[in-house]
Amino acid sequence: MNKAYALLRQQGVIRINRESGAAVRRDAGTGPPEAPFIDDWEERMRVLLAEATVHGIDRQDVLGRCEALPIAFEESV
């Protein structure tokens, strides 16, 4: 469990306070994400897009999934 908390803290998802415990650091209402997050996210996206290309997933399918997945995520929350 400590490793999971440490990873989430390192990624900027939670903040940990010894007195009050762990809390979510950001949500959609806190404004745009910080530049380091965007840089890391974009690099991970490049890897995923390269994998899609290698496996023959065409551009339209990628774009369609990119549009559908956030909607599905919002509906599940």
Side-chain angles (χ1 to χ4, degrees), residues 22-74:
V24 175
R25 182 171 173 245
R26 296 190 46 84
D27 63 23
T30 59
E34 298 170 0
F37 169 80
I38 293 293
D39 294 341
D40 179 60
W41 176 77
E42 190 171 296
E43 184 59 34
R44 289 181 287 135
M45 187 170 50
R46 281 190 183 115
V47 171
L48 289 173
L49 290 173
E51 289 176 5
T53 300
V54 168
H55 288 282
I57 301 174
D58 67 27
R59 183 176 187 220
Q60 289 304 317
D61 193 10
V62 168
L63 293 174
R65 290 170 190 269
C66 286
E67 290 178 349
L69 287 173
I71 294 168
F73 177 74
E74 290 170 2

